[in-house]
Amino acid sequence: MGKSPAFPWEQSLVIRMVTGTFALALAAFFTASAISFILARGELKQAVLERLESVSQIKTNQVEHWLAERRQHLQFVAQLEEVQAYAARAVLSGDALGGIKSVRSHLSAFFSTMIKNYPDYQEIFLLRPEGGRVVASSNPASMNQFQVSFKYFRRGLEAFYLQPVYPSPVTLRPTMTMALPLYAEDGELVGVLAAHLNLARIDALLDQRTESGLYESTYLVDEFNMLVSGEG
């Protein structure tokens, strides 16, 4: 038989010491676990933020590259001799030139063919430098409309300009427009060549998966952080 404590309080003291030590160990365990959880959660949050920032930068680069290609292509079109020649004749007013309607129709047909071959554009059109009237367009509904109040027209008279996403007062849909001055072969300004971009193409770029194979939802927003979509 085991030896009994000489005094009853000795057993109580041992129990208290064991209980106190266990409680301290348990408290230390939970404290360490809580700290580990907080640290792990912070590291996970930081990893997710870094991942999202990386994906956002990749998508931004893709969109910027796409826009740069569209700019180069529109500048190339503005330098075509056929476009310059027909544009110079199309901006003449009244009956100053016989067959002016035929000239504008020919230029509009050329723009329509471009839309079919390059779906990155929604519409391509030519504006008179005085008054901003549409004299040729891939969209017949735009003919003879005045767009002098549009920023892309005013800025496009001087140099290339990309107007960021804005609500079109005509279609009531999000629109992004490129514009640049169009000169005749002799260097005279004959109009502003403009193109509404097809935002659905940007949607497709943002919807592509990254090289990691993971899928992250990326969206285009305007200056007011409102969601922009090519579907309107």
Side-chain angles (χ1 to χ4, degrees):
M1 295 180 65
K3 183 179 179 180
S4 301
F7 301 98
W9 57 265
E10 291 182 358
Q11 183 176 8
S12 176
L13 179 61
V14 172
I15 293 175
R16 290 178 181 178
M17 290 179 63
V18 172
T19 303
T21 302
F22 176 76
L24 288 174
L26 190 62
F29 170 77
F30 281 114
T31 301
S33 298
I35 293 175
S36 298
F37 172 76
I38 294 173
L39 292 175
R41 185 176 63 177
E43 292 176 355
L44 178 61
K45 180 180 179 180
Q46 183 62 30
V48 171
L49 290 176
E50 291 177 355
R51 173 62 185 173
L52 292 176
E53 184 177 355
S54 176
V55 171
S56 176
Q57 187 59 52
I58 292 174
K59 297 299 183 180
T60 298
N61 292 340
Q62 290 177 339
V63 173
E64 289 180 346
H65 178 72
W66 182 80
L67 291 174
E69 288 184 333
R70 301 289 68 72
R71 173 178 180 172
Q72 293 175 0
H73 184 258
L74 192 63
Q75 290 173 328
F76 169 77
V77 173
Q79 295 173 358
L80 293 176
E81 293 183 2
E82 180 182 8
V83 172
Q84 293 176 347
Y86 274 93
R89 299 170 63 188
V91 297
L92 295 178
S93 59
D95 297 325
L97 181 66
I100 190 171
K101 291 185 178 179
S102 176
V103 172
R104 293 176 177 175
S105 297
H106 180 87
L107 194 56
S108 296
F110 177 79
F111 291 157
S112 297
T113 301
M114 283 186 57
I115 293 294
K116 294 178 181 179
N117 294 332
Y118 300 95
D120 291 338
Y121 298 113
Q122 190 75 37
E123 179 184 359
I124 301 175
F125 51 102
L126 176 67
L127 303 163
R128 285 177 54 86
E130 302 87 9
R133 183 162 64 94
V134 179
V135 296
S137 175
S138 59
N139 179 13
S142 298
M143 289 295 294
N144 297 317
Q145 291 184 358
F146 290 89
Q147 303 187 9
V148 66
S149 61
F150 286 84
K151 190 174 182 179
Y152 63 78
F153 168 72
R154 301 192 304 270
R155 297 286 294 273
L157 285 169
E158 302 175 355
F160 174 86
Y161 178 69
L162 171 64
Q163 184 164 346
V165 177
Y166 64 98
S168 171
V170 178
T171 64
L172 303 180
R173 299 177 59 183
T175 307
M176 183 182 293
T177 306
M178 288 182 170
L180 49 79
L182 181 62
Y183 299 96
E185 294 184 51
D186 59 2
E188 180 183 1
L189 177 66
V190 296
V192 173
L193 180 64
H196 295 318
L197 302 179
N198 185 356
L199 296 186
R201 304 292 287 181
I202 295 183
D203 289 345
L205 287 175
L206 298 179
D207 200 43
Q208 291 177 354
R209 296 195 177 194
T210 57
E211 294 181 355
S212 65
L214 298 177
Y215 184 86
E216 298 89 357
S217 297
T218 311
Y219 304 96
L220 180 67
V221 296
D222 61 15
E223 58 181 328
F224 303 107
N225 291 326
M226 297 295 292
L227 181 64
V228 174
S229 172
E231 298 179 355

